[in-house]
Amino acid sequence: MTTIGTINGNNIIEHADGSVTFSAGATLDGDGANGQFGDLPCYAPASYPGGTLDLLANAGGPGNWFGVVTDNDDVTGTPIVQQSTDPCPGAYVSATSLHLFDQSGNPLPNSSPFKYVDAATVPFIAVPPMIVQGVVGIVLGCRCIVTNSLTGKSVVAVVADVGPSNHLGEISVACAKAIGVPVGTTHPASSGGAPSPTINYQLFPGTAVIVNGVTYPLQRS
């Protein structure tokens, strides 16, 4: 058993079998939600007629768009707007670190809403770089079990995103709903969550996971 590191007083432990465990709180993640399965997109301009999972301010702003896909794949670019053939025309495209493929197994363009894991309908977690870089097995796309110690509810999830280096415990809106963690009212990803250390996380790096009938690819960051 090895301690990979400690974030906000919570130890990240790698076990002899390669699994990784930690306990932390839970903040909510709406990234990757683009209406792929009929639910809300994460971000949209003020002109968008529908609801969103999160406030646009949490995606950045002109010259520093860190929360949406841009036309030059850089924070300085212009956000890509979904077109009439996309799930949520007029909304922005939100990304996850884990990338998906088309039905033939080919890479999708960065502008595709379907390239990313949908936070609205897929239970997933985001982990800090310390975990991705500090364990032997591949973390992105791996199996994870998330348990709410307050409700006793657990869900099988996928590790789909890499978060800030100083933050531990981030889950998709779908994951929060599955284990009884409160979400926001108007914008589900903008409030809610759970206090530390009430959420238990168990990761299985190198083991691909099936969630909602989909087998997620293991991906090196």
Side-chain angles (χ1 to χ4, degrees):
M1 188 170 70
T2 303
T3 299
I4 297 172
T6 302
I7 297 177
N8 296 326
N10 298 309
N11 292 329
I12 304 166
I13 306 297
E14 184 176 25
H15 299 269
D17 63 359
S19 64
V20 175
T21 59
F22 60 89
S23 295
T27 56
L28 302 188
D29 189 352
D31 291 344
N34 297 307
Q36 299 96 309
F37 302 102
D39 216 302
L40 298 177
C42 189
Y43 299 114
S47 59
Y48 183 69
T52 58
L53 285 186
D54 208 348
L55 298 165
L56 183 57
N58 292 330
N64 188 32
W65 289 109
F66 50 81
V68 294
V69 180
T70 65
D71 57 358
N72 67 352
D73 296 324
D74 187 81
V75 296
T76 61
T78 300
I80 290 174
V81 177
Q82 294 192 42
Q83 302 302 301
S84 60
T85 55
D86 292 325
C88 291
Y92 291 143
V93 176
S94 175
T96 55
S97 301
L98 182 63
H99 296 162
L100 307 180
F101 301 91
D102 66 16
Q103 293 182 343
S104 299
N106 299 311
L108 290 163
N110 290 347
S111 59
S112 172
F114 295 98
K115 184 170 185 171
Y116 311 105
V117 185
D118 181 15
T121 60
V122 179
F124 75 67
I125 73 168
V127 297
M130 179 187 298
I131 294 178
V132 175
Q133 300 165 3
V135 304
V136 175
I138 298 174
V139 174
L140 280 175
C142 84
R143 176 182 172 87
C144 176
I145 299 175
V146 186
T147 303
N148 184 347
S149 66
L150 299 178
T151 65
K153 294 182 178 179
S154 294
V155 68
V156 175
V158 58
V159 180
D161 219 352
V162 178
S165 60
N166 62 350
H167 180 66
L168 190 65
E170 187 174 357
I171 63 177
S172 68
V173 170
C175 185
K177 290 179 177 179
I179 61 173
V181 168
V183 302
T185 303
T186 304
H187 299 282
S190 69
S191 60
S196 180
T198 60
I199 309 300
N200 301 320
Y201 301 83
Q202 185 177 24
L203 284 61
F204 300 89
T207 300
V209 64
I210 300 174
V211 178
N212 296 344
V214 175
T215 301
Y216 284 86
L218 291 171
Q219 174 191 310
R220 293 196 181 277
S221 60

